[in-house]
Amino acid sequence: MALRRFAVTFVLAAVGASASAQSQPVTIKGASVFDGKGRSIPNPAIVVRDGKIASVRSAVAGNATYDLRDLTLLPGLIDTHVHLDTHFGKDGRASTRGETPAEATLHEAGNAYTTLMAGFTTAQSIGSPLDLDVRSAIARGVLPGPRLLTSIRPVNENTGTPDQIRAFVRKIKADGADLVKLFASKSSREGGAQTMTDEQIQAACGEAKASGLRSWVHAHSPSAVRAAVLAGCTAIAHGSQVTGVELALMAQRGVYFEPNIGLVSQNYLENRDRYYGIGNFDDQGFKFTEDGIPLKLAMFKRAVTTNGLKLVMGTDAGAGAHGRNAEEIIYRVQMAGQPAADALIHATSLNAESLGLADRIGSIAPGMDADLIAVDGDPLKDITALRRVVFVMKGGTVYKNVSTHR
Ligand SMILES: [Zn+2]
């Protein structure tokens, strides 16, 4: 059954590509559409032309190119934090030992496909040199995958002096990076203490800004988070140990905050045997992971009630988690009590804003790129509908349609 579905998908992808090349308008009807900014429209008819949304109207007579009248339409979902290169290797473990570059690239291509089929039409990879070729193949339209952004290589405490860090930032910009990633604290499996000095963080985020790049900071401890906020960095991820003070500071300075509470740790524990013994995935590391789950949930509940905090949706998806990105959204709603509409806004229009792409993606409105998905059920009432992605369109091309109509 699964194989059959994939075959259908590939045929439709080809049909979709030729349809958009002919500039024929395409009409999609749904039970309702959630526009990514908080508005729902019943019985929508969305017209797509030349890869962009031309109009969104309600209760229009006539036939649709895609009759999805029993489904809910949403903007394509966005994940601000994936590791698209990561996968289980030849021995089934989270190690790429003995792989050829071609094998590694094909694994990443597979992860890109899986992520797109799960309804994620944009993903930010944090980040690997492999991302560059995959990003370019996706952009050429020859590889099905999300619009891909990448940090290529991170800055960390060993990158060097502030001057050396500034040179490094200019180099990755020249290599094609979409953002700069800073490793400003240890891993959560090693306690999460600050690693980069305040001066190193200032150099990286300052040079990123001067080069027109966003900066994105891995930081667990309160001191690392504070240093990054005060250095003017764009976004902070993890923040597992932050208190109300850092949450308020991020809100006050307009820094995006991306906690990861619902997929990454759970995935490590589900796949414990495949990670165990690699790097810091040891007994102590797994203990930090287990203990961290309720702490991160409590932190997130505080974050949701922090006025003005821009709470973006990133998963930190690695090997075993690709294609399950929506579990982060589902966890936020089911376990932390975040209103479903807010969780969906964060995973679409707020995420787009955090990537500097608010004028192109993340909402359904005339002039936006035609990134649309359809799910079976109404995620405003039952967030698990996000597990049932039936239709995926990216830039006007249909990559998936397993609806019972056409
Ligand atoms: Zn990560």
Side-chain angles (χ1 to χ4, degrees):
M1 185 63 191
L3 280 173
R4 248 185 113 83
R5 283 191 166 199
F6 284 125
V8 167
T9 301
F10 270 116
V11 169
L12 285 165
V15 169
S18 67
S20 76
Q22 290 162 10
S23 306
Q24 296 287 338
V26 164
T27 305
I28 303 147
K29 289 190 172 183
S32 70
V33 59
F34 183 80
D35 73 348
K37 294 193 162 176
R39 204 159 69 106
S40 282
I41 303 163
N43 304 313
I46 300 173
V47 177
V48 170
R49 190 177 291 125
D50 295 331
K52 296 205 180 280
I53 295 168
S55 66
V56 185
R57 296 204 183 86
S58 185
V60 175
N63 290 334
T65 320
Y66 295 99
D67 178 358
L68 309 174
R69 272 179 276 179
D70 45 359
L71 304 173
T72 305
L73 300 169
L74 303 160
L77 301 171
I78 300 171
D79 191 335
T80 57
H81 185 174
V82 300
H83 296 273
L84 211 61
D85 59 319
T86 56
H87 58 275
F88 297 126
K90 291 176 196 257
D91 56 2
R93 287 171 49 76
S95 153
T96 55
R97 198 175 301 159
E99 263 175 17
T100 64
E103 284 171 326
T105 307
L106 288 169
H107 274 293
E108 175 152 341
N111 289 339
Y113 176 74
T114 304
T115 304
L116 181 65
M117 291 301 108
F120 285 77
T121 50
T122 301
Q124 175 163 272
S125 190
I126 308 289
S128 150
L130 274 189
D131 297 339
L132 291 170
D133 287 340
V134 173
R135 181 183 69 182
S136 127
I138 292 170
R140 292 200 306 276
V142 298
L143 181 71
R147 298 166 190 283
L148 195 60
L149 305 166
T150 178
S151 58
I152 311 179
R153 276 179 228 97
V155 178
N156 63 33
E157 74 274 23
N158 300 318
T159 304
T161 63
D163 271 348
Q164 288 169 319
I165 287 174
R166 283 188 278 268
F168 180 93
V169 168
R170 290 192 293 273
K171 173 75 169 78
I172 57 166
K173 157 105 179 173
D175 289 347
D178 299 291
L179 72 152
V180 178
K181 186 244 170 109
L182 284 72
F183 233 117
S185 84
K186 289 192 173 185
S187 157
S188 59
R189 289 178 297 283
E190 296 168 352
Q194 183 172 345
T195 48
M196 290 176 71
T197 65
D198 292 7
E199 293 71 26
Q200 287 178 313
I201 295 170
Q202 287 155 14
C205 292
E207 190 64 28
K209 192 175 244 172
S211 313
L213 294 179
R214 293 171 293 111
S215 48
W216 183 106
V217 186
H218 161 111
H220 286 283
S221 75
S223 80
V225 170
R226 276 198 302 275
V229 174
L230 297 176
C233 306
T234 317
I236 293 173
H238 305 302
S240 58
Q241 300 163 11
V242 298
T243 68
V245 175
E246 289 77 38
L247 292 170
L249 186 64
M250 286 189 276
Q252 191 191 351
R253 302 285 178 116
V255 175
Y256 297 98
F257 180 42
E258 182 220 277
N260 326 109
I261 63 166
L263 178 62
V264 60
S265 297
Q266 290 81 354
N267 177 60
Y268 290 143
L269 294 169
E270 284 161 27
N271 290 289
R272 189 184 173 109
D273 292 348
R274 309 176 95 171
Y275 280 96
Y276 189 85
I278 299 169
N280 55 23
F281 289 97
D282 52 19
D283 287 331
Q284 197 196 13
F286 274 107
K287 174 94 170 71
F288 273 123
T289 300
E290 266 166 5
D291 293 349
I293 289 178
L295 298 176
K296 290 199 274 187
L297 180 58
M299 176 275 291
F300 185 83
K301 287 179 176 171
R302 207 175 302 132
V304 165
T305 60
T306 302
N307 256 340
L309 183 58
K310 296 179 179 184
L311 210 48
V312 296
M313 202 300 292
T315 62
D316 201 4
H322 300 294
R324 296 197 288 139
N325 314 60
E327 293 304 319
E328 179 77 21
I329 308 169
I330 293 167
Y331 188 90
R332 287 177 172 202
V333 172
Q334 287 189 330
M335 300 297 290
Q338 184 178 34
D342 291 350
L344 292 172
I345 291 167
H346 295 177
T348 54
S349 62
L350 183 67
N351 269 4
E353 179 197 306
S354 81
L355 301 177
L357 296 173
D359 57 341
R360 286 186 52 200
I361 58 170
S363 60
I364 295 180
M368 301 298 285
D369 286 3
D371 289 8
L372 303 169
I373 65 168
V375 299
D376 179 7
D378 180 356
L380 292 171
K381 297 188 185 112
D382 170 16
I383 196 69
T384 68
L386 297 183
R387 290 185 185 134
R388 300 184 295 277
V389 173
V390 173
F391 177 89
V392 177
M393 171 183 271
K394 189 189 69 169
T397 298
V398 175
Y399 286 92
K400 179 178 187 177
N401 183 7
V402 291
S403 72
T404 49
H405 302 293
R406 62 164 291 195

